[in-house]
Amino acid sequence: MTETRPTAPTDPTRRTALRAAGGGALLLGLGLTGCRSAVSETGAPAGEAGKASAEPRRGGTLSIAVNADFTPSLLFAQSAQSLQQRLIYNTLTRYDDRLEPQPELATSWEYAKDGRSVTLALRTGVTFHDGRPFTADDVIFAVKNLQNPLRAAQLRATAAAVTGFEKRGDHELVLKLAHPVNNLFDLFEFMIISDRNSVEDAVTGKKLNGTGPFRLTRWSPGSGLTLSRNETYWQPGRPYLDGVEIRVVPQADALLSSLRTGQTQLSFSVPGKNLAVVAAAPDLAISQYSTGGGAVYLGVNTTVAPLDDKAVRQALAWAVDRERILKQVLGGYGLASATPWPTSSPAFTEAGRTHYTHNPGKARELLKSAGHTRLDLPLLHINLPGDTAVAEAIQYDLRQIGVHVTLQPTDSAAAQKKLISQSMPGLWTMSHGFAQVQPSTLAVSAYPFNEAKNTSRFRSAAYSKVVREAWTGPAAGARANALREKITDTLLDEAFIIDLAIRGSVQVSAKKLHGVTLNKFSYLNLDNAYLVG
């Protein structure tokens, strides 16, 4: 039996169906088909550069270096602490590089003609780590869990569009929608399927019970996570690894040393300025996920005077030297850009990317026209080496136009909570995602851009209108392109989020490590990962 490649409907009235093949023969290929593989500087998959392909081998423990600890309260949100999500949990589907969804816990799906419902066929024979069978009730719970306002979850608006459930046995489920949405598969890739019986223990870190390839053995706050192979994993013969250790190494020098000495074999946390050192290490490889949507940005609280003046915000956008940040701070990995869209996005345009360039003269003129020659403002940033370097670069550039900022270093968890609660100071700098999937998702789900409630506290009836139209309309075609263009124009004109550089995840790994992938939300997939030598 062959698999028909599924796609989300480009028009809500179009009927789209998939009949995916089942059985072990199909499952063996899922990890390579449905996830993004990093590409090294030589063009080979991560860990393969300059080496002949090795046969997968079972055994070994992979040690991963991260610069910030797991934050249980943010379990259902995408953040820098989401790396372990796909190790413990599964999702319903996952995208390939063409944004075409592939089966995971959902094996097939069928849209209704009016785009107001989708029928899911769910994988059978799947159990949680505690032995309980996975059923349609777990999908219902997962959707309702994201609808819960007590959960920090970016795709709540899409989850909230699901207004009804019809079970047809334990492994078939109809999701009924209040209105068509074109990012439903973004939700399916983002939404981890957690155990409904222990969710409150999960958000405190006491028990993480999923269906994924690894079980949580121990969480040591401040030190990291220890995971062991799930011997009853639904994908035959996977994972290859015996276990995974996620080690918190916040100091850049220590993190780099752990990679160079072989104490750790994988990291996505190496600061850009240290990547040149890694490139010279004979046993390490640098790879990047070019279709990812990570971006470095300068955020602006529009309720803080004089940042409530659009001209002032635009002055900041002209002041920052994006190319210098890309080269000196990010190690040259990425793309200087005034818009959030990666080149793989249908919303990307070269005109948008280059709308703001480094022009301090124009920035000073805008400030002067707004009645300012000097401003003093706070700038919050995450207290990690790479983030601090970005903040210092912004600080330098803004000083050249008379804007003097005081840096406010903040730990990752506290910064994320401020982002979610709209309690940022006048300026802040962080990274965002959500531009790498359906473009409508960025403006209805990402905290900095959310049309209804964003971190900048920017409100606009016109912005909300175009975002809603883009979200509920077709995903392709002339109308979709026009709506995306209007969203981009609004972001550039209002400048409440000032994008600086697009950067997919940059992976540093031992050359003996093979088969590492990330999904579109940077959840790490090690189903097919193995160590050689």
Side-chain angles (χ1 to χ4, degrees), residues 160-347:
V162 180
T163 54
F165 306 91
E166 179 186 337
K167 286 174 54 180
R168 297 175 178 173
D170 283 342
H171 295 95
E172 186 172 346
L173 177 66
V174 181
L175 302 181
K176 299 180 180 180
L177 306 175
H179 52 76
V181 296
N182 57 33
N183 68 338
L184 194 61
F185 285 93
D186 295 4
L187 174 68
F188 291 169
E189 178 152 350
F190 168 86
M191 182 176 69
I192 59 174
I193 305 300
S194 62
D195 174 32
R196 62 185 187 271
N197 298 325
S198 60
V199 65
E200 297 307 324
D201 285 338
V203 294
T204 58
K206 294 179 181 178
K207 182 179 182 180
L208 304 181
N209 184 27
T211 62
F214 296 94
R215 302 168 183 260
L216 177 66
T217 303
R218 184 177 67 254
W219 172 45
S220 301
S223 297
L225 302 168
T226 301
L227 309 173
S228 61
R229 179 196 290 125
N230 175 12
E231 299 291 354
T232 59
Y233 190 42
W234 54 266
Q235 188 172 176
R238 304 296 192 276
Y240 294 120
L241 296 168
D242 290 334
V244 179
E245 291 182 353
I246 301 177
R247 299 175 53 193
V248 180
V249 190
Q251 295 80 21
D253 290 343
L255 189 151
L256 189 60
S257 176
S258 75
L259 289 163
R260 297 178 70 185
T261 60
Q263 296 177 56
T264 58
Q265 298 86 39
L266 177 66
S267 183
F268 299 90
S269 304
V270 176
K273 65 180 181 180
N274 296 119
L275 290 172
V277 176
V278 172
D283 296 326
L284 297 175
I286 302 174
S287 319
Q288 62 178 328
Y289 292 78
S290 59
T291 59
V296 176
Y297 72 94
L298 173 64
V300 186
N301 186 334
T302 62
T303 64
V304 175
L307 300 173
D308 54 346
D309 186 338
K310 180 170 66 175
V312 174
R313 302 197 297 268
Q314 291 177 346
L316 303 182
W318 287 108
V320 182
D321 189 344
R322 291 168 175 80
E323 294 290 349
R324 182 172 67 87
I325 288 176
L326 176 66
K327 182 178 180 180
Q328 296 182 5
V329 180
L330 301 181
Y333 289 85
L335 181 71
S337 180
T339 62
W341 317 113
T343 56
S344 59
S345 171

Side-chain angles (χ1 to χ4, degrees), residues 18 112 135 198 216 240 253 303 314 317 388 401 404 461 463 476 500 518:
L18 165 73
T135 70
S198 60
L216 177 66
Y240 294 120
D253 290 343
T303 64
Q314 291 177 346
T388 300
I401 67 165
H404 297 258
Y463 180 53
L500 306 177
L518 295 175

Side-chain angles (χ1 to χ4, degrees), residues 22 35 42 60 186 195 297 305 382 432 469 488 501:
C35 293
T42 66
D186 295 4
D195 174 32
Y297 72 94
I382 295 175
H432 73 75
E469 289 177 354
T488 299

Side-chain angles (χ1 to χ4, degrees), residues 336-374:
S337 180
T339 62
W341 317 113
T343 56
S344 59
S345 171
F348 173 85
T349 65
E350 184 64 15
R353 183 186 79 81
T354 58
H355 180 86
Y356 289 111
T357 55
H358 184 220
N359 192 332
K362 187 166 186 174
R364 282 189 288 267
E365 288 177 8
L366 279 168
L367 281 181
K368 186 176 180 180
S369 70
H372 308 287
T373 55
R374 175 180 174 126

